[in-house]
Amino acid sequence: MSLPRVHEISIGGIIAEPGSSRRNLTGGWRSLKPVLHDDRCIRCRICWLYCPEGTIKEIKGEFVVKGKKYQYKYEIDYDYCKGCGICAHECPVKAIEMVPEA
Amino acid sequence: MKVVYRAIWDLPVEELFASGHRACAGCGPAIAMRWITKAAGPNTIVVNATGCMEVTTTQYPETAWMLPYLHVAFENAAAAASGIEAAIRTLSAKGLWRAGKTNVIVIAGDGGTYDIGLQALSGMLERGHHVLYILYDNEAYMNTGIQRSGATPKYAWTTTTPVGKAIRGKVQEKKDIMGIVMAHRVPYAATATIANLLDMTNKIKTALEYTEEGPTFLHILAPCPPGWRYPEELTVEMARLAVETGYFPLYEYDHGKVRLNPPTSQIAADPKRKKPLRDWLKLQGRFAHLTDAEIAELEREVAANLAYLSALAKAFS
């Protein structure tokens, strides 16, 4: 990592770019990995609600799972997921499984 | 409380608290921050006292905030927010403020509210600034390594209240911060937890609406896995059990009226619905040393607190 030179740092140390922490991929912290089984998911939005990192992505579209039509699908952003397991613990149908990171 | 979000599907989708922050896995306050920013919306200025959420979200030169954000010291978060609010009011009067109705929110931990920032908070409430003060309570100074604060409950282990022969964890009881805030006769003050997110987001919306009249206050319980010593997947469960066992009652103070919110109102009406406090204590390492007599004592204190709040709700309904 190269550090900025003193004249490149803004006065007062302000950070001008909002949400720049996205450059820091926290996925490497994980020892357990959540795997979402889409066939068991009932689209209740609870994992999305409680994720401290905001890594559960809600994807809109037409999804047919086991003959049922859904307008949403949930995916986990493994770049930032720290593997805390709150989603797996809170899931009412146990559609999220925590597996050891390979 | 005004009900803005009726169901989980009404909640805002736009993320204003970016991923990649350095909070621990399973961080309770991080869930609170995500929903505070979502409920408050983009036209908001956040003033953050030093604490876990400042240290983990703004590691220079990066920030997780997607809102105008000011970091100030432990002592003066409320004072700095008062200044921002006064500046907005003056600029609006001169016609120079073009951003419309801007929310000013203070976010401070329990150390920055119960102990160090109490004087600035009291001053802000007394002067009547139009600011929402949000306290996220993880019940100790977690960011410096679990030292006791005014918010730490009785008998809890921390590094400065060790468990031994002479003392059994913290000797004193948790301070009633809501009582202190209510004594300032603010328009609105409420308690919330990260487990009851619909309740919490509605309270944020209500509080922001009432900041037109004066200062408002929100006390959010946000469990901390390393400090409370429990497995990180239980964060939301911990907050939920804290309410269901009666340890952390959900209630609001609205223009002089005190109202218990569900599920606390149901517990107060029918004590059989209250879960035993042991269910919540036994999951936490900080209470692992408790004897049956000590648990019974804490249980009596919880019941007394619920009875006090029920009487308050009855007297000021």
Side-chain angles (χ1 to χ4, degrees):
Chain A
M1 180 183 162
S2 66
L3 292 170
R5 302 173 79 90
V6 73
H7 62 268
E8 289 165 357
I9 296 174
S10 53
I11 294 169
I14 58 163
I15 306 169
E17 188 193 343
S20 51
S21 67
R22 289 209 179 94
R23 282 201 290 264
N24 176 45
L25 303 183
T26 49
W29 297 21
R30 199 167 54 230
S31 58
L32 288 173
K33 179 181 178 175
V35 177
L36 205 159
H37 297 283
D38 202 39
D39 53 333
R40 285 187 238 160
C41 176
I42 56 166
R43 330 278 148 160
C44 65
R45 225 181 189 188
I46 282 178
C47 53
W48 172 84
L49 194 69
Y50 287 127
C51 180
E53 316 300 321
T55 58
I56 312 256
K57 300 283 170 228
E58 196 170 67
I59 295 157
K60 278 189 183 178
E62 288 276 314
F63 302 100
V64 182
V65 181
K66 287 201 283 187
K68 265 190 176 174
K69 257 192 197 169
Y70 293 108
Q71 282 168 324
Y72 291 99
K73 184 185 168 174
Y74 292 90
E75 273 180 11
I76 297 163
D77 187 347
Y78 292 113
D79 281 352
Y80 301 106
C81 171
K82 291 171 185 166
C84 64
I86 290 177
C87 50
H89 185 80
E90 295 302 320
C91 181
V93 290
K94 300 284 162 238
I96 301 175
E97 192 185 350
M98 300 301 287
V99 296
E101 194 71 42
Chain B
M1 166 170 71
K2 286 168 188 159
V3 181
V4 180
Y5 306 115
R6 291 195 173 274
I8 199 167
W9 293 97
D10 301 337
L11 291 167
V13 177
E14 191 191 1
E15 298 278 350
L16 294 168
F17 185 68
S19 311
H21 56 80
R22 273 80 158 181
C24 310
C27 179
I31 302 177
M33 293 312 119
R34 228 185 116 211
W35 286 99
I36 291 165
T37 50
K38 271 174 187 263
N43 197 0
T44 301
I45 297 173
V46 174
V47 182
N48 195 185
T50 302
C52 275
M53 275 303 109
E54 175 266 319
V55 169
T56 54
T57 58
T58 54
Q59 292 214 329
Y60 196 79
E62 292 166 1
T63 178
W65 299 86
M66 294 159 88
L67 301 168
Y69 171 91
L70 177 71
H71 162 231
V72 285
F74 260 125
E75 301 87 343
N76 59 352
S82 304
I84 291 172
E85 188 273 328
I88 291 175
R89 210 157 11 125
T90 310
L91 288 173
S92 301
K94 290 181 179 171
L96 296 169
W97 185 259
R98 284 182 286 271
K101 191 195 171 296
T102 306
N103 304 317
V104 182
I105 295 182
V106 181
I107 294 172
D110 53 295
T113 306
Y114 278 77
D115 304 346
I116 312 173
L118 187 63
Q119 188 181 347
L121 168 65
S122 179
M124 186 197 88
L125 298 177
E126 186 263 326
R127 288 190 303 269
H129 287 283
H130 305 271
V131 173
L132 165 61
Y133 193 106
I134 297 179
L135 149 68
Y136 70 90
D137 182 5
N138 51 17
E139 304 200 317
Y141 291 84
M142 298 309 184
N143 121 60
T144 48
I146 323 169
Q147 287 86 14
R148 57 89 81 192
S149 77
T152 310
K154 198 175 184 182
Y155 293 136
W157 166 90
T158 65
T159 51
T160 46
T161 54
V163 178
K165 277 183 192 148
I167 59 165
R168 311 269 303 152
K170 196 189 174 196
V171 182
Q172 299 85 0
E173 279 175 33
K174 185 173 172 132
K175 198 194 277 184
D176 181 11
I177 193 81
M178 278 293 284
I180 296 171
V181 172
M182 290 191 304
H184 288 80
R185 306 286 182 268
V186 294
Y188 189 75
T191 63
T193 74
I194 55 153
N196 309 60
L197 278 177
L198 269 178
D199 176 79
M200 182 178 121
T201 43
N202 279 324
K203 279 172 175 168
I204 293 169
K205 279 279 181 201
T206 311
L208 283 173
E209 220 177 297
Y210 284 146
T211 48
E212 295 268 327
E213 299 163 40
T216 51
F217 181 83
L218 217 59
H219 179 183
I220 296 172
L221 184 75
C224 168
W228 294 19
R229 298 256 180 275
Y230 64 84
E232 61 253 31
E233 73 264 22
L234 295 178
T235 299
V236 176
E237 186 77 31
M238 280 297 170
R240 190 178 295 127
L241 278 174
V243 177
E244 287 175 352
T245 58
Y247 167 76
F248 191 84
L250 295 183
Y251 61 104
E252 57 185 346
Y253 172 86
D254 185 349
H255 293 90
K257 292 190 173 77
V258 178
R259 205 178 302 121
L260 299 182
N261 302 123
T264 303
S265 54
Q266 294 153 352
I267 293 167
D270 181 11
K272 265 181 264 165
R273 294 181 72 158
K274 188 170 100 64
K275 287 191 179 168
L277 190 62
R278 190 186 289 269
D279 290 4
W280 183 66
L281 297 175
K282 76 180 179 195
L283 293 170
Q284 300 172 58
R286 62 174 180 160
F287 289 118
H289 57 281
L290 290 194
T291 60
D292 284 351
E294 284 161 348
I295 292 175
E297 189 195 329
L298 291 177
E299 186 89 71
R300 276 197 300 279
E301 276 167 18
V302 162
N305 186 31
L306 272 179
Y308 163 73
L309 286 174
S310 309
L312 213 59
K314 219 174 180 182
F316 300 99
S317 61

